[in-house]
């Protein structure tokens, strides 16, 4: 990916201008960002990918968060220091959006997207080193939190993702390291799965952005 300025993205023979530079500040255009996301989504997921009208409010929040529009984020009650917890029913587009949104800000520190179940599989193989490894300063998006099995290493059970969230909370407090999460679970289900302590930390770690429970499965 070739880049001239943060708001201008050049890929092969395509040029995407996501806004205008005014002084030393970028004024992003939401419609241009949506067009870019739609184009990139079709390149990544096929021609059936589209930006749905019912998702515009969700995307407006997410885009303002990623471009760090402080005024809009204050108005939308979002804290730019926190990560994103994106929740919603199966197939509503959480994972694909988190993969695409990082592309609109190529000048920012990127985050890796890691399925929560893969983390647990790693724990089952390597043990507690897996939890320690996610205590580093990398930005991470844990995908599909809540579908992973309980970890088990040498006969001992462990709620692996719960422990990792606690570890990431310490990173957030001490080093301002961000964590993002996608999940199909609601707040009550998260508390039932990971406990009150983890749920309490999650309130401090994340901006909660939720799709409507009636959002359709876009993979059908």
């Amino acid at each position: 990916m070739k880049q001239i300025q943060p708001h201008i993205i050049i890929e092969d023979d395509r040029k995407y201008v996501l806004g205008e530079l005014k002084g030393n500040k970028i004024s992003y255009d939401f419609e241009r960002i949506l067009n870019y996301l739609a184009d990139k989504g079709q390149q990544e997921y096929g021609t059936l990918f589209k930006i749905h009208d019912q998702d515009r409010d969700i995307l407006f929040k997410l885009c303002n968060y990623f471009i760090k529009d402080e005024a809009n984020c204050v108005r939308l009650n979002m804290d730019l220091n926190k990560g994103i917890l994106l929740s919603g029913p199966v197939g509503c587009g959480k994972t694909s959006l988190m993969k695409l949104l990082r592309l609109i800000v190529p000048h920012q520190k990127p985050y890796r997207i890691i399925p929560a179940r893969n983390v647990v599989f790693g724990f089952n193989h390597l043990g507690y080193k897996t939890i320690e490894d996610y205590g580093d300063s990398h930005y991470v998006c844990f995908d599909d939190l809540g579908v992973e099995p309980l970890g088990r290493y040498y006969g001992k059970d462990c709620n692996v993702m719960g422990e990792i969230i606690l570890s990431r909370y310490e990173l957030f407090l001490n080093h301002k390291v961000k964590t993002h999460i996608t999940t199909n679970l609601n707040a009550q289900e998260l508390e039932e799965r990971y406990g009150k302590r983890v749920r309490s930390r999650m309130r401090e770690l994340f901006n909660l952005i939720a799709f409507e429970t009636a959002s359709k499965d876009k993979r059908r």
Side-chain angles (χ1 to χ4, degrees):
M1 181 185 296
K2 184 179 178 183
Q3 182 184 342
I4 300 174
Q5 298 179 53
H7 64 297
I8 300 175
I9 300 172
I10 296 178
E11 301 171 0
D12 299 325
D13 59 342
R14 303 188 187 196
K15 179 179 179 180
Y16 303 92
V17 181
L18 305 185
E20 297 179 7
L21 189 62
K22 298 180 178 179
N24 61 354
K25 186 176 180 181
I26 299 169
S27 177
Y28 283 92
D29 184 300
F30 182 52
E31 296 301 328
R32 291 183 184 181
I33 292 176
L34 291 186
N35 289 336
Y36 173 68
L37 292 174
D39 199 12
K40 293 300 295 181
Q42 291 194 356
Q43 293 175 39
E44 182 72 21
Y45 303 110
T47 55
L48 293 180
F49 180 90
K50 63 180 292 187
I51 300 296
H52 296 265
D53 288 341
Q54 64 265 33
D55 295 339
R56 285 179 66 92
D57 288 347
I58 291 277
L59 279 163
F60 187 72
K61 290 180 181 179
L62 289 167
C63 288
N64 277 283
Y65 172 84
F66 280 103
I67 65 176
K68 297 184 177 180
D69 188 313
E70 294 183 9
N72 273 332
C73 283
V74 168
R75 185 171 61 82
L76 295 166
N77 196 30
M78 291 195 298
D79 187 338
L80 286 172
N81 294 311
K82 296 182 178 182
I84 293 292
L85 193 159
L86 186 58
S87 68
V90 173
C92 66
K94 301 181 296 296
T95 303
S96 57
L97 287 180
M98 290 304 288
K99 286 182 176 179
L100 293 172
L101 282 161
R102 58 187 173 177
L103 302 178
I104 68 176
V105 283
H107 56 295
Q108 292 184 20
K109 184 174 181 178
Y111 54 85
R112 296 177 294 159
I113 296 181
I114 302 171
R117 65 180 182 277
N118 288 7
V119 178
V120 176
F121 295 155
F123 173 86
N124 293 344
H125 180 62
L126 298 172
Y128 288 88
K129 181 181 182 301
T130 300
I131 296 176
E132 294 171 4
D133 287 346
Y134 288 105
D136 62 19
S137 60
H138 287 94
Y139 285 12
V140 178
C141 176
F142 294 113
D143 189 36
D144 266 349
L145 183 75
V147 303
E148 78 280 358
L150 192 66
R152 190 170 180 82
Y153 186 69
Y154 278 95
K156 292 185 178 181
D157 291 338
C158 177
N159 192 326
V160 177
M161 290 307 304
E163 292 298 324
I164 287 177
I165 290 170
L166 293 176
S167 178
R168 300 292 297 184
Y169 174 74
E170 294 301 321
L171 275 175
F172 170 71
L173 284 185
N174 297 324
H175 304 289
K176 305 302 181 186
V177 174
K178 289 183 181 179
T179 305
H180 305 306
I181 280 176
T182 72
T183 183
N184 302 331
L185 306 184
N186 59 35
Q188 182 178 346
E189 291 168 332
L190 286 168
E191 185 168 313
E192 290 172 357
R193 178 71 186 263
Y194 300 102
K196 290 185 178 180
R197 184 182 178 211
V198 171
R199 176 62 186 137
S200 174
R201 299 295 187 267
M202 291 176 79
R203 292 189 185 97
E204 296 181 61
L205 271 171
F206 303 113
N207 296 287
L208 174 60
I209 299 180
F211 283 88
E212 296 291 335
T213 55
S215 294
K216 67 178 184 179
D217 187 340
K218 300 179 180 71
R219 294 179 292 196
R220 293 180 178 176

